[in-house]
Amino acid sequence: MISDSPHLYRAGGRRLDKQPRLIQNALQQAMEVEEQGLAAVLTLGHLAHSTGVGYPYLREVVQRRLDPYDDLVIPRRNGKKMRAISSPRSPLLEVQRWILDRIVACLPAHVNSYAYSPGSSIKGCAQKHLGASWLVKLDIRNFFESINEAQVYEVFRKAGYQPLPSVELARVCTRYAGHARHVSSQAFRHHATYRVIDSYSVPFMGFLPQGAPASGALANQVASRLDDGLTELALSRGLVYTRYADDMAFSSGGPFIRSEAVSLIREVEMLVRSNGFEPHSQKTRIIPPGSRKIVLGLLVDGEEVRLNRGIRSRILNHVRGVEKFGLSAHVAHVQFSSLEGLVRHVGGLLAFASDIEPRWAALLEQRWTAAVQRDGWFTPDND
C-alpha cells in the first residue's frame, strides 16, 4: 500500500524528478481509498503496474479499440437459449479479477443482497423465508446489461477514486456496446465527452458483461439503492425481502391476502423501473398458503431448507445409472461430452446438496464414489 510508507514513496518520487505537490496529491488520493481497505489506483499506468499487465494493452481496452471477449450462449434443457455470456479473455480476465479482489469485493454489500458477496449463499438467502405462509417472487429482465458504464463509474467515485481513474476502471470492467451483438448499441449512446483525454471519447457507453469476474459485485453496488427501497417497502408491510442477483423474493408469515400481493407487485415494479431496471413480469409468481414454497430452487415450507424433488432426482438418476450400467454407458445415455465432465458435474451437484442436506448427500456421495471407483475412476479425494 502506498500510504504504508509515505517517506519511501516521496523518496521514490524525487528520484523520478516528480514535483513535491504531485507526490503529495498522489499520497492523499491513495490514503482516501486505502483507509477503507481498497487498493489505490492513481492512473491507468498504476493499474498496469499493479496487475502486471501492459499499459498499451489496457490503454486500447479503455479507448474501446479492443474487444477481448468471447460470446457464449448456453442452451437450456427445454432447447431455448439463455442470454449471451460475455467471457473476458486473458489478460483482461486477470485485471478484472484483481479489481474484484482488491476493490469491489471489499465494498460493503446490502444486507438483503445475497449473490456475489463473500460469505453469502443460496441457502442463506432461502433461509430468510422459512416459515412463510405467502411468497411473492419477481425477476429483473437483463439485469447485467441494464447497467451502464456511467453507473459503474459512480461506484468507483463513491468509493473515493478520482474521476479519471474511475473512468478507466469503469471502462476496464464494462464491455463496449458498439462491439457486442446481443445488445442495442443505441440504448447506450454516449452524449458526454471526456475532456481530459480526447481519445476516450466514443459514441457509446459500455455495459456490465454477464460472465466477467467483477460484474456481480459491481451490479450489487449499483442495485443497492433499489435494495434500500425494496427493504423499506417490505418493512412497512411486515414482510421479508431478499435479492439474489436478478431474483427478488418477498414473504409473509402473518396475515396477508392476494390483493395485498397484487399491490406489492405494482409497487415493486415501480421501484424497479425508477432505479433503471425493467421487471420481468412473465416470471412474477404469487404462492399462497398450501402451495409449495421454493426460493432459488430450495424448499422453504418447513423448519429447514431442503432440496427440491428435481435436484434429488437428478443426483439419484446419475448414481443409479452408473451403479447399474457403468460410467461409460451412462455417459453415453445422458449424452455428456466426456467421462470427466460427468464426474465433475455430479461432484458439483453433490457438493451443493451437501451444503443443504448433509446427511442425505453423504449417503449418495458414498454410493457415487464406490460406483465410479468400480469403473477405475478415482475422485480427487482418493487419488
Side-chain angles (χ1 to χ4, degrees):
M1 294 174 68
I2 292 173
S3 58
D4 281 349
S5 307
H7 297 309
L8 294 179
Y9 185 80
R10 287 191 178 92
R14 289 193 294 269
R15 286 194 298 270
L16 296 173
D17 294 325
K18 301 296 183 181
Q19 294 294 322
R21 184 176 179 180
L22 181 64
I23 297 172
Q24 182 58 36
N25 286 342
L27 274 170
Q28 183 63 37
Q29 292 173 24
M31 288 175 62
E32 288 179 6
V33 295
E34 289 181 345
E35 286 176 351
Q36 303 176 63
L38 312 178
V41 176
L42 304 179
T43 64
L44 188 63
H46 186 201
L47 179 64
H49 174 77
S50 298
T51 59
V53 174
Y55 171 77
Y57 172 84
L58 287 182
R59 178 86 172 193
E60 288 200 302
V61 170
V62 170
Q63 291 174 329
R64 302 307 198 186
R65 295 179 180 177
L66 288 180
D67 183 43
Y69 288 89
D70 292 317
D71 290 318
L72 307 176
V73 180
I74 304 173
R76 294 182 187 272
R77 290 182 177 273
N78 60 10
K80 295 182 179 180
K81 291 182 178 179
M82 294 180 67
R83 68 186 66 170
I85 303 296
S86 297
S87 177
R89 297 192 291 268
S90 293
L92 180 61
L93 177 66
E94 284 71 33
V95 178
Q96 291 178 347
R97 283 175 176 162
W98 185 92
I99 293 172
L100 172 64
D101 294 340
R102 302 294 300 277
I103 300 175
V104 190
C106 302
L107 299 173
H110 196 279
V111 66
N112 289 328
S113 173
Y114 282 83
Y116 316 114
S117 300
S120 64
S121 66
I122 288 176
K123 181 180 181 180
C125 185
Q127 278 179 327
K128 295 282 287 188
H129 300 282
L130 286 172
S133 55
W134 285 81
L135 182 65
V136 179
K137 300 195 292 184
L138 305 97
D139 193 89
I140 297 173
R141 187 188 297 273
N142 297 331
F143 180 56
F144 289 95
E145 289 85 353
S146 298
I147 297 172
N148 63 42
E149 171 188 320
Q151 292 169 295
V152 177
Y153 165 84
E154 289 298 334
V155 171
F156 291 111
R157 285 292 289 133
K158 185 178 178 181
Y161 293 91
Q162 293 298 301
L164 182 56
S166 294
V167 169
E168 292 163 339
L169 287 165
R171 287 279 179 96
V172 169
C173 291
T174 57
R175 186 181 184 187
Y176 185 50
H179 290 146
R181 291 176 293 180
H182 67 284
V183 299
S184 170
S185 58
Q186 294 302 318
F188 294 91
R189 180 159 288 282
H190 207 331
H191 299 291
T193 58
Y194 299 120
R195 296 180 181 178
V196 178
I197 301 178
D198 290 339
S199 63
Y200 283 9
S201 297
V202 287
F204 308 110
M205 289 188 290
F207 63 91
L208 205 55
Q210 183 176 6
S215 290
L218 283 168
N220 280 344
Q221 293 299 315
V222 173
S224 62
R225 191 178 71 169
L226 172 63
D227 289 329
D228 285 338
L230 295 178
T231 298
E232 185 177 343
L233 174 62
L235 290 173
S236 70
R237 291 170 172 256
L239 306 175
V240 170
Y241 160 70
T242 61
R243 181 179 60 80
Y244 193 93
D246 53 2
D247 290 309
M248 300 170 289
F250 295 80
S251 62
S252 172
F256 199 70
I257 56 177
R258 183 170 291 273
S259 61
E260 290 180 281
V262 172
S263 174
L264 171 70
I265 291 168
R266 186 163 50 247
E267 290 193 58
V268 170
E269 290 184 342
M270 288 175 59
L271 277 170
V272 168
R273 290 192 177 97
S274 67
N275 281 273
F277 297 100
E278 181 64 26
H280 200 325
S281 300
Q282 293 91 330
K283 292 188 176 182
T284 300
R285 299 288 184 272
I286 299 174
I287 299 94
S291 300
R292 286 199 312 165
K293 307 294 187 303
I294 297 178
V295 175
L296 301 172
L298 300 176
L299 290 165
V300 296
D301 51 7
E303 294 185 356
E304 294 183 351
V305 174
R306 294 173 291 122
L307 298 166
N308 67 56
R309 186 181 301 173
I311 192 168
R312 279 173 167 262
S313 296
R314 285 169 62 192
I315 296 172
L316 279 168
N317 288 341
H318 285 308
V319 172
R320 290 168 178 168
V322 174
E323 285 177 334
K324 186 173 182 178
F325 302 106
L327 186 57
S328 297
H330 181 69
V331 167
H333 176 70
V334 298
Q335 299 181 340
F336 239 81
S337 59
S338 67
L339 300 180
E340 182 179 2
L342 179 72
V343 172
R344 288 182 179 275
H345 174 68
V346 177
L349 290 175
L350 285 168
F352 175 73
S354 180
D355 183 49
I356 309 302
E357 293 189 55
R359 291 183 181 178
W360 182 86
L363 296 174
L364 269 293
E365 190 167 7
Q366 290 175 5
R367 290 172 57 185
W368 172 252
T369 300
V372 296
Q373 286 183 351
R374 185 192 63 195
D375 278 10
W377 190 280
F378 289 89
T379 59
D381 291 339
N382 294 283
D383 283 350

